[in-house]
Amino acid sequence: MAVYRSVDELIGGTPVLDVSRLSPNPSVKLFAKLEGHNPTGSVKDRVALAMLDQAEAEGRLQPGSVIIEPSSGNTGIALAMLGQRRGYAVKIVLPGNVTAERRQMLEIYGAEIISSPAEQGSNGAVRMALELADANPDWTMLYQYGNEANPQVHYRTTGPEIVADVGGITHFIAGLGTSGTLLGAGRYLKEHVAGVQVWAVEPPAGEQVEGLRSLDEGYVPPIFEDWGGAELLDRKMIVRPRESIEATRMLATEGVFSGISGGAALAGARKAAASVDSGVIVFVVSDHGWKYLSVGAWTDDLEVAAANADGVIYF
C-alpha cells in the first residue's frame, strides 16, 4: 500500500460501484461514483483543493490570509480542513437550517461560522457572503458558484476517472448544485464518449432536496452560464424529497451509506433506466451519510423524514 505525504494526495481517484441490482430495467446497468471516499467525505474536496491551488498560484492567498465563503456544508468543511493546514483563517457563511453534524465539522476544522437566515437557504448565504466580501476587501472569497476551478477540476479528474473505470457509458447523471460536477465531468464525457447523454437532477421550485437547487428559484450559478449549461445538458429531471429519501435507503441495501443527494441521483438514474431500452448509467453519490444522521432519513417514518426535508438543508 502506498504511503502519502499529504491529505491533499488522498483527494480524487474515488471508486465506482456496480449497483445494477437497483435498476428497474435489466438491460440498463447502474454505476455509482462514490465521492464520499474523499478525506472529508464529499466531492467538494476536489473543488476546495482546486480553488486553493489556483488562488495561491495567482497570488490571491498568502500565509495569514482570510477566506470568506458561502456554503451549505461540504465545500465549507473541505475549505476549513485544507485552509487550516495551509495557515488561513476560514470564515464560512452557513444557513441556519443545516444539520448539526456539518456545523460541528466546521468547528472541528477551526472555521468561524457566520450564520445566515435559515428561511433564505443557500441563496441567502451567497448574498451575505458577497456583502461581507465587498465590505472587507482584504478577505478572499473563492466563490465556488463562479470559480472556473470548480468545473475545471471535474473536467481534469472526475470525467477521466469515469471514462477509465466504466466502459460503454450512455448516460451521466448528477445533482444540479453549483453545477460544477455536471458541467466539468459532463463536458469531458461529451468530448470523449460518442453519444453520451448528460442529465441533471433538481428539486421542484420551493422544495428542499439535499445538495440540489432549482434554477427556477431565481439564482443561476455563474459557472452554469459560463460553461454553457443550457446547451450541455440533455435533460433535467425533477426529484422530490420523498423520492430522494427512498432511494437513499435503497443505496443502504447495497452497503452504500450515502447523503440524500446521492439518493436523488439514484432516483434520477432509475427514472432514466426506465425510459430507455438499454444502457450504462453513471451517477454521482456526492457524499457519505454520516453528516445527516440527526435528520432521521434512515430511521424515521418515511413521511416524517420527507417532511423534515422541507425544513433542513441537507448538503
Side-chain angles (χ1 to χ4, degrees):
M1 182 178 293
V3 175
Y4 296 92
R5 296 168 298 171
S6 164
V7 71
D8 298 15
E9 296 178 357
L10 301 178
I11 295 174
T14 54
V16 174
L17 181 67
D18 186 340
V19 293
S20 296
R21 291 200 305 177
L22 302 179
S23 176
N25 183 344
S27 296
V28 177
K29 293 182 178 180
L30 300 182
F31 293 91
K33 178 71 166 162
L34 302 180
E35 288 297 300
H37 285 250
N38 284 299
T40 73
S42 92
V43 68
K44 295 299 186 178
D45 285 7
R46 296 181 191 257
V47 176
L49 178 62
M51 292 195 302
L52 286 171
D53 285 348
Q54 180 187 66
E56 289 174 350
E58 295 172 349
R60 297 172 57 209
L61 289 175
Q62 295 86 30
S65 290
V66 175
I67 296 171
I68 178 79
E69 186 72 15
S71 175
S72 56
N74 282 330
T75 303
I77 292 167
L79 279 174
M81 184 273 283
L82 294 169
Q84 180 185 61
R85 296 186 66 255
R86 299 185 184 200
Y88 306 132
V90 179
K91 301 175 185 289
I92 301 298
V93 181
L94 192 72
N97 53 340
V98 302
T99 59
E101 293 91 338
R102 281 168 295 167
R103 185 175 295 272
Q104 290 167 356
M105 288 299 296
L106 286 167
E107 293 170 349
I108 288 168
Y109 288 129
E112 177 186 345
I113 297 171
I114 302 171
S115 294
S116 61
E119 66 276 8
Q120 296 180 17
S122 297
N123 291 349
V126 172
R127 286 191 292 269
M128 180 178 285
L130 288 168
E131 292 168 0
L132 287 169
D134 285 342
N136 297 273
D138 55 327
W139 295 358
T140 299
M141 183 167 170
L142 300 176
Y143 194 35
Q144 60 175 323
Y145 296 95
N147 194 316
E148 280 284 306
N150 181 351
Q152 280 285 358
V153 73
H154 291 294
Y155 183 88
R156 289 189 290 104
T157 66
T158 314
E161 289 171 22
I162 291 170
V163 170
D165 292 341
V166 183
I169 179 174
T170 60
H171 296 77
F172 174 63
I173 295 174
L176 186 57
T178 66
S179 73
T181 307
L182 266 170
L183 300 183
R187 177 180 289 184
Y188 183 90
L189 291 169
K190 288 273 191 179
E191 292 176 0
H192 292 82
V193 181
V196 70
Q197 297 256 309
V198 177
W199 293 14
V201 171
E202 67 175 351
E207 294 189 26
Q208 295 283 2
V209 175
E210 174 248 329
L212 310 184
R213 68 169 63 247
S214 169
L215 297 184
D216 294 333
E217 293 284 7
Y219 178 76
V220 178
I223 58 174
F224 184 83
E225 295 182 330
D226 294 344
W227 276 60
E231 296 75 33
L232 181 74
L233 295 184
D234 294 289
R235 185 175 301 184
K236 290 192 296 179
M237 293 176 289
I238 299 296
V239 174
R240 295 182 178 278
R242 178 179 173 130
E243 295 176 282
S244 302
I245 293 168
E246 287 177 325
T248 302
R249 293 180 179 186
M250 287 183 191
L251 282 170
T253 69
E254 292 296 301
V256 178
F257 185 41
S258 162
I260 302 170
S261 69
L266 170 60
R270 284 170 50 83
K271 289 184 179 185
S275 70
V276 299
D277 293 330
S278 62
V280 175
I281 297 174
V282 175
F283 65 97
V284 177
V285 178
S286 294
D287 66 350
H288 276 318
W290 49 265
K291 295 172 186 152
Y292 315 105
L293 285 169
S294 62
V295 306
W298 296 269
T299 54
D300 284 353
D301 176 82
L302 184 58
E303 295 298 332
V304 173
N308 287 343
D310 290 332
V312 176
I313 297 175
Y314 292 110
F315 201 104

